Amino acid sequence: MAKDKGAKSIILTAGFMAAATFAAKALGLIRDMLVAAYFGTGAEADAYMLATKIPTTLFDAVVGGVISASLIPIFSDALKKEEDPAYAGESRQFSNRFITLVVLVTLIIVTLGIIFADPLVSFMAPDFDAETHSLSVNLTIIMFPMLIFTGFAFSFVGILQSYGEYIVPSIISFVSNVVIILYFLIFGERFGVYGLAVTMIAAWSLQMLVQIPALRKFGFRWRPDFHFRDENIARAAHLALPMLVSTWIQPLSSIVNSRFASHISGAYSSLEYANRLYVTITGIFSFVVTNLVYPKLAAANSGGDESESRGLTSSSIKAVVLIIAPLSLGVMTLSSPIVSVIYEHGELSSSDAVASALTFYSFGMLFYALNEVFSKAFFARKQSKIPMICSLIGMLVNFAVVFVSFEFINDDAETLTAGLAFAVSCGSAVTAALSGGALLKSTPGLLSGDDVKTIVKALFSAVVMGGVVSAAYGAVGYFVSYLGLDGILGQLLLCAVIALIGVIIYGLMLVILRVREVRELLAWIGAHTRTR
């Protein structure tokens, strides 16, 4: 009975997290739709996208990728030790010092970023014209202070998840996106892109503030503590450097892509629109899994429960494959109508370059999601060197594909964005292959024979689904045109019908192949339906 209650609690938590994440991501899409509608792919769009990218890229490269990843395992250890009264208060002491250190680092980044905004823009986008360059510098200076609130927000997320609170961290993006959407609806025409930059700071500050009431429920109040000569801080720092390097693939890939994308006007913003949509689609599902599982993995490893750790990891891998594999093929098939529905409004009348990039980003969607699981599994064990090495190799592959193929992909924005997105996917694929192999080698029995069968059946079902929806795409498109629905409504109907066909085919394949997890889910639903 206790086990059933525990499973029910996890399912409910996952459901709430999924709903909150979906709502936040949906608002994120509306936010990006408004950006596209107001600025299109012109100079203001390129400048705004770069001005948001520079601070966040520096933050991710220096601290962002490791805040929660290094905080959660050490904080979980401290909570475990506090079961002994001799260690009372250790978790609070560590978290206060950790957050103080993060704030100091972000203050340094902000100060240097403002001082060197001009050369940073030149480095990230060397081919911007003078007007776009000047606007990018001004917007970058305005937006750099948001990193201070970002450091707080990321740290608070790690603490809340360590305490088992997942819902509040799931809604912080929801709150910030609401603020940005309200800005467009009320002040967008009046204050333009400069007003949007200021609004970004307010939105990120709310991501920090909205978590404070939940922290107080656990009795947590941050107090600056500058005593960094602490065993737990040293352990976090020891974990942080390899973790940091392992997370560099995204920010450094962004830097390389920015430099090449600036070669053609509008290509940079097109690539960013596609990347944001790609991360949104993937994040709705994969981030729920990893954000729910990682604190539990850290707690299981802190308590020496290897069986629980293996079970959580294998379940996460299967969940990601079951969900992301068909999603990836579906997005590849529907990239053009999806982008048309979301972005072709106002100033953005043609989205071919965005759709092209999204297609090739989708190729790496499953690898990207699996990397989240693999890296978190290593981080929870406090083994950060392996994902670091795998990420470095993947990053080099990404760079190699860009540099080797650039002379063939710089003819127009559509070809350029497709090539850059494909390079990112290649890097993700190599990283996933290496880190997944290392995880399997270091964890005997991680995937049972039944687990492997589930993964193979899911992949085969996804391929069959992909073939069916690709074949049906032309026929459904012809039918939609026959009805005279050639605009956004027609594209939306096309997406809905093809998605429905895909879900039905994929579901039938999973049932026909007797995937154990699907049969268990159907049995669970049937049992609870009969009970009611």
Side-chain angles (χ1 to χ4, degrees):
M1 182 67 70
K3 185 176 181 181
D4 184 62
K5 287 182 178 179
K8 184 177 180 181
S9 175
I10 292 174
I11 291 170
L12 289 173
T13 301
F16 279 122
M17 285 183 67
T21 302
F22 180 82
K25 297 297 184 182
L27 286 180
L29 287 179
I30 295 172
R31 175 203 64 203
D32 290 342
M33 288 169 62
L34 291 168
V35 172
Y38 272 77
F39 307 121
T41 56
E44 287 186 317
D46 282 348
Y48 167 74
M49 292 295 186
L50 184 64
T52 56
K53 178 67 69 175
I54 289 175
T56 55
T57 298
L58 281 175
F59 180 81
D60 289 342
V62 178
V63 289
V66 303
I67 290 180
S68 61
S70 59
L71 186 153
I72 289 175
I74 307 302
F75 192 80
S76 296
D77 283 351
L79 287 175
K80 187 72 176 177
K81 288 171 67 177
E82 285 181 347
E83 294 176 2
D84 182 345
Y87 293 97
E90 181 160 335
S91 62
R92 301 293 168 80
Q93 184 183 72
F94 162 68
S95 55
N96 279 328
R97 292 173 179 176
F98 185 92
I99 296 174
T100 303
L101 183 59
V102 168
V103 172
L104 288 177
V105 172
T106 53
L107 282 171
I108 293 170
I109 296 172
V110 168
T111 302
L112 294 177
I114 292 173
I115 293 172
F116 296 104
D118 192 292
L120 282 171
V121 169
S122 296
F123 177 75
M124 291 282 283
D127 294 323
F128 273 1
D129 59 47
E131 179 185 356
T132 308
H133 175 93
S134 177
L135 180 59
S136 299
V137 171
N138 292 338
L139 295 177
T140 300
I141 290 172
I142 292 172
M143 283 196 275
F144 250 113
M146 72 182 182
L147 296 190
I148 298 170
F149 304 111
T150 307
F152 275 113
F154 279 32
S155 300
F156 290 168
V157 165
I159 292 170
L160 286 175
Q161 289 182 343
S162 296
Y163 279 125
E165 171 56 62
Y166 301 97
I167 305 303
V168 173
S170 298
I171 67 169
I172 61 175
S173 295
F174 179 93
V175 174
S176 60
N177 285 333
V178 166
V179 172
I180 296 170
I181 290 169
L182 288 175
Y183 165 77
F184 276 113
L185 297 178
I186 300 172
F187 302 111
E189 292 285 355
R190 182 176 180 183
F191 297 110
V193 72
Y194 280 102
L196 178 58
V198 175
T199 303
M200 286 288 291
I201 298 176
W204 279 97
S205 68
L206 281 177
Q207 288 202 358
M208 173 195 74
L209 294 172
V210 75
Q211 297 183 81
I212 292 177
L215 288 166
R216 287 183 173 176
K217 282 174 57 180
F218 292 102
F220 179 85
R221 287 173 173 77
W222 175 63
R223 298 288 183 268
D225 189 337
F226 297 91
H227 296 87
F228 301 134
R229 290 186 177 182
D230 173 89
E231 178 187 354
N232 287 324
I233 291 292
R235 292 173 62 207
H238 180 73
L239 279 175
L241 182 58
M243 284 182 180
L244 190 62
V245 175
S246 70
T247 62
W248 280 354
I249 184 169
Q250 284 297 115
L252 291 183
S253 295
S254 295
I255 291 173
V256 172
N257 286 347
S258 297
R259 290 180 61 84
F260 282 101
S262 69
H263 178 73
I264 297 176
S265 177
Y268 182 79
S269 51
S270 295
L271 191 68
E272 276 298 298
Y273 286 135
N275 182 62
R276 292 185 180 195
L277 183 54
Y278 158 71
V279 171
T280 295
I281 294 170
T282 311
I284 289 174
F285 303 99
S286 64
F287 292 169
V288 169
V289 174
T290 54
N291 287 340
L292 176 62
V293 168
Y294 181 52
K296 295 181 181 297
L297 270 174
N301 283 285
S302 295
D305 192 341
E306 294 183 9
S307 176
E308 175 74 2
S309 177
R310 282 197 302 270
L312 287 168
T313 304
S314 62
S315 296
S316 299
I317 293 171
K318 289 186 292 182
V320 164
V321 173
L322 281 164
I323 295 171
I324 303 298
L327 187 65
S328 172
L329 293 173
V331 173
M332 290 176 71
T333 303
L334 293 171
S335 59
S336 183
I338 288 173
V339 168
S340 294
V341 169
I342 294 174
Y343 288 131
E344 284 191 2
H345 310 279
E347 292 296 319
L348 185 57
S349 58
S350 176
S351 58
D352 290 343
V354 184
S356 180
L358 180 60
T359 298
F360 285 92
Y361 271 132
S362 299
F363 166 74
M365 188 177 289
L366 178 59
F367 305 116
Y368 178 84
L370 285 173
N371 278 327
E372 285 288 312
V373 176
F374 298 153
S375 61
K376 293 294 172 61
F378 280 116
F379 293 163
R381 302 177 184 178
K382 307 178 188 67
Q383 297 174 353
S384 49
K385 291 183 179 179
I386 293 175
M388 175 189 74
I389 295 170
C390 296
S391 294
L392 283 174
I393 296 172
M395 184 172 59
L396 292 175
V397 169
N398 180 4
F399 295 167
V401 173
V402 171
F403 284 107
V404 169
S405 60
F406 181 68
E407 61 180 290
F408 305 107
I409 63 175
N410 64 352
D411 294 333
D412 55 65
E414 185 176 349
T415 308
L416 179 60
T417 55
L420 294 174
F422 178 68
V424 172
S425 293
C426 288
S428 295
V430 171
T431 304
L434 293 174
S435 57
L439 184 62
L440 290 172
K441 185 177 179 179
S442 64
T443 316
L446 176 62
L447 294 177
S448 66
D450 285 342
D451 293 335
V452 174
K453 287 179 182 178
T454 294
I455 292 171
V456 172
K457 289 176 181 179
L459 293 174
F460 179 74
S461 300
V463 171
V464 171
M465 180 218 74
V468 172
V469 297
S470 295
Y473 183 84
V476 176
Y478 176 80
F479 177 72
V480 170
S481 297
Y482 177 76
L483 293 176
L485 302 173
D486 295 326
I488 296 298
L489 183 60
Q491 297 295 302
L492 187 60
L493 179 61
L494 175 61
C495 289
V497 173
I498 293 295
L500 180 61
I501 292 172
V503 169
I504 292 172
I505 296 298
Y506 184 63
L508 285 175
M509 287 299 301
L510 294 179
V511 172
I512 292 170
L513 294 176
R514 297 179 60 80
V515 174
R516 179 167 57 87
E517 285 73 13
V518 174
R519 287 188 286 120
E520 290 175 354
L521 176 62
L522 292 174
W524 184 84
I525 293 172
H528 281 70
T529 302
R530 287 192 298 271
T531 300
R532 291 182 180 181

